[in-house]
Structure formats: C-alpha cells, structure tokens
Amino acid sequence: MWLDRIQTMLPELAKALGETALMVGISLGFALVVGIPLGILLFITDRGLFFQNVFVRSILDFFVNIVRSLPFIILLVALIPLTQLLLDNTIGPTAASVSLSVAAIPFLARLVETSLREIPPGLIEAAEACGATPFRIIVSALLPEALPGIIQAVTLTTISLIGFSAMAGIVGGGGVGDLAIRFGYYRYDNVVMIVTIIVLVVIVQSIQGLGNQLARRADKR
C-alpha cells in the first residue's frame, strides 16, 4: 500500500521539487549578486576601515535590520503588492521568489559581514602599509581570507531558503513544503508527509555536506 501511494505521488513530488528548485535558485542568485557586495559594503564603511562612512553605514544597517526583523510569513504577505507591480502576477514559484529574494539578500549580507569581521585587523593594516589600493585589499586580502566563512554563509542561506519556501504555498508558490501541507497535513496523508520529510532531510544534508567540504578546501590556514 505504501509503495503504491509513493508511486502515485511521484509526479506531484517531481513537480514540487522543480518548484522548490526554481524558487531557491532565483532567490539565491539575487542574494549572491546583491547580498555579498552589500555585506562587503557594510564592513568597509564601518568605523576605522578605509571607506569609513557613518551615514552610508547607518542607512545600510537600518535596511538590513528592518528586513531581518520581520518574520518571513509577514514579509511574504507584505510584498504581494510589490510582486504584482514587478511581475503582474502574485501566484507561482516565480512570484514567491520576490519575497524570498528580499529576505535572502540582507540575511546573506549580514553573514558575509560577520565573516569579514573575523579577519585579523593586522592583515588589513599590512596590506595598507604595502600601498595596496582599497579594491586590491578587498580582492586580494579580504575575500580570500573570508572565503570559507562566505561559503558557509551561502550554504546556510540556501538551507534557510528551502525552509522559507515551505511557506510559499500561501501565495500559490508550490514546492515540497506546500505539497507536505496540502496532502500530508490537510488530507492526513502520512505517506506524503513522511516522504517529503525524508526528501527535505536528504536535500539539506547534501547541501550542508557540500558546503562543509568546499569551506574546508578554501581554508588555507
């Protein structure tokens, strides 16, 4: 009976996995493109750094804190008008990616900033003493030194996005989490619930394992 139910749910599961991959892929892409530079900017505009700017730092810090202070379920609903404006649609995984991207960008930015803060101050001072330009310091000193932490930050962001995507069903985004809720919870289908839990655990463990391996390889210490 269990095998028959699993076989019948495979098409739905494959579709849900595709929707989750689409949501996470789009939002992670925006997080990488915007979140990493934002994290670097948060760090280098702080006091004592070569691009110190209290005004810019305060604005960026305020934006990051505002977004991160909102539970994702509230952010998801609050951004429906923005999603409608951008995509002329509020249903589907692409629409859900708007809220996921807005949540992921400051989340990753803060993690990147934290990774950069773990760099010994002496490394930056030594680079400045050698006459390196700010851009050279960022590219040749800061990023290589913080790379293991940044990889772990991207890994954590990816896993968090998978968790956030489970709420995408509220706006018709679909995904594995939505499948578990609609069939496993509302219809009391234990087979669907157990299978989706196993699938999510395997996905998360695989991503975490890959992230750990890449971080170890990038760590030159």
Side-chain angles (χ1 to χ4, degrees):
M1 181 177 177
W2 274 54
L3 290 177
D4 292 339
R5 182 68 187 97
I6 291 174
Q7 288 179 343
T8 57
M9 69 170 286
L10 284 179
E12 284 287 338
L13 180 60
K15 179 183 177 183
L17 283 171
E19 291 169 342
T20 296
L22 180 61
M23 287 186 286
V24 174
I26 293 174
S27 53
L28 182 61
F30 277 103
L32 293 174
V33 171
V34 182
I36 292 178
L38 178 59
I40 296 172
L41 198 58
L42 280 167
F43 176 71
I44 63 177
T45 54
D46 202 3
R47 295 181 185 276
L49 273 295
F50 41 82
F51 279 137
Q52 176 179 325
N53 191 313
V54 176
F55 178 72
V56 172
R57 162 76 190 188
S58 299
I59 291 177
L60 295 177
D61 200 54
F62 178 77
F63 164 73
V64 169
N65 289 338
I66 283 292
V67 177
R68 292 192 64 212
S69 66
L70 297 175
F72 180 70
I73 188 67
I74 296 176
L75 188 65
L76 184 65
V77 175
L79 291 177
I80 288 178
L82 176 62
T83 304
Q84 177 69 38
L85 179 65
L86 294 175
L87 303 177
D88 197 27
N89 182 29
T90 59
I91 298 175
T94 304
S97 299
V98 175
S99 300
L100 285 169
S101 299
V102 173
I105 288 170
F107 183 80
L108 180 58
R110 191 62 82 187
L111 292 175
V112 169
E113 181 196 7
T114 301
S115 298
L116 291 169
R117 289 194 181 282
E118 294 176 356
I119 298 175
L123 180 66
I124 301 175
E125 293 171 0
E128 289 177 326
C130 292
T133 63
F135 179 77
R136 188 72 177 176
I137 294 173
I138 293 171
V139 173
S140 301
L142 293 181
L143 290 181
E145 190 71 19
L147 186 57
I150 292 175
I151 292 173
Q152 290 286 19
V154 173
T155 302
L156 179 57
T157 301
T158 305
I159 293 172
S160 298
L161 284 171
I162 293 174
F164 290 158
S165 70
M167 305 178 198
I170 294 176
V171 293
V176 178
D178 181 56
L179 178 68
I181 293 170
R182 284 190 296 112
F183 289 91
Y185 180 70
Y186 290 141
R187 301 186 184 182
Y188 303 100
D189 192 331
N190 292 329
V191 176
V192 173
M193 182 66 75
I194 292 172
V195 170
T196 51
I197 289 173
I198 292 173
V199 168
L200 288 172
V201 168
V202 170
I203 291 173
V204 169
Q205 291 291 342
S206 300
I207 293 172
Q208 187 65 64
L210 178 62
N212 291 342
Q213 186 177 6
L214 292 175
R216 283 194 295 267
R217 289 184 179 181
D219 193 349
K220 305 301 180 182
R221 290 172 292 182

